[in-house]
Amino acid sequence: DAGITQSPRHKVTETGTPVTLRCHQTENHRYMYWYRQDPGHGLRLIHYSYGVKDTDKGEVSDGYSVSRSKTEDFLLTLESATSSQTSVYFCAIGRDNEQFFGPGTRLTVL
Amino acid sequence: GESVGLHLPTLSVQEGDNSIINCAYSNSASDYFIWYKQESGKGPQFIIDIRSNMDKRQGQRVTVLLNKTVKHLSLQIAATQPGDSAVYFCAERPGGYQKVTFGIGTKLQVIP
C-alpha cells in the first residue's frame, strides 16, 4: 500500500459537464500519473507530473487537463465530458523504478 | 508507434501447474520491464521487474525471462494457486524516463 487514494470511486455524469477526479498520496512522491483503462487497450497515460506545477502530456491527453498545486494531490479534469471518456481511471505514483496504483475511479458519461 | 503486446488474451491452468504468460515488445530503447497483476476491481499491483542487462530474475514463485534478441518477455508462475487468478500486464519503460507503456493484458484462470 503506497498510501494512494482516489475520489470519487464511482461517478455517473452527463455529456458536456465538467468532472474532476482527485488523487491523493501520503508519501510525498515526486512523480504522479493518470491513466485510463479500457477493454482491448492497455493502461494509457493521460498526463503525468514530475513535481508541483510541473506536468506533461501522455499519449491520450486530448480532452483532459491536470493540476498539481501540492505534492500530495494530483487532479484530473474533464472540461466537458464525452461518452468516449467513460472509463476506469487510475492514478499512480512513481517510487524508485516502480509505479504504485490507486484503487481506480469508474466514470460513466451518459 | 511502438507498443507492448501479449500473445494470449486468456490462459487457463490447473491448480498446482506452472503458468507461463508471454509478452512481445517492440521498443528497442526500453531498458526496464515490469509485470503487473490486476485483480478484479483493483488497481494493478507490481509483481516483478527486470533490467535489459539481465535475462532472468526470480522472485517468490515467479520468474521473469527476457530475450532481447527476439524482444520477448515471459512471466512464469510456479505451482499456480486460485489466488493467482487475475489479469497480468507486461510493461516497458524507455531508459531514463518514468513513463511506462503497458500491454493489453492476459487473463489467467486457475481451475481448482
Side-chain angles (χ1 to χ4, degrees), chain A residues 19-25 29-34 46-57 61 63-79 91-92:
Chain A
V19 177
T20 295
L21 308 182
R22 180 182 183 235
C23 178
H24 179 79
Q25 60 146 326
H29 295 289
R30 179 183 174 193
Y31 284 88
M32 298 184 75
Y33 308 82
W34 276 108
I46 305 172
H47 282 279
Y48 69 102
S49 170
Y50 45 96
V52 173
K53 298 186 180 179
D54 290 324
T55 65
D56 204 353
K57 296 179 180 180
S61 59
Y64 301 95
S65 63
V66 290
S67 66
R68 191 156 178 214
S69 58
K70 299 184 291 184
T71 299
E72 58 265 37
D73 290 325
F74 192 32
L75 304 180
L76 177 71
T77 297
L78 290 65
E79 303 290 349
C91 172

Side-chain angles (χ1 to χ4, degrees), chain B residues 31 50-55 66 68:
Chain B
D31 74 339
I50 188 168
R51 293 197 175 276
S52 60
N53 61 355
M54 303 170 67
D55 53 19
L66 176 63
K68 294 181 290 294

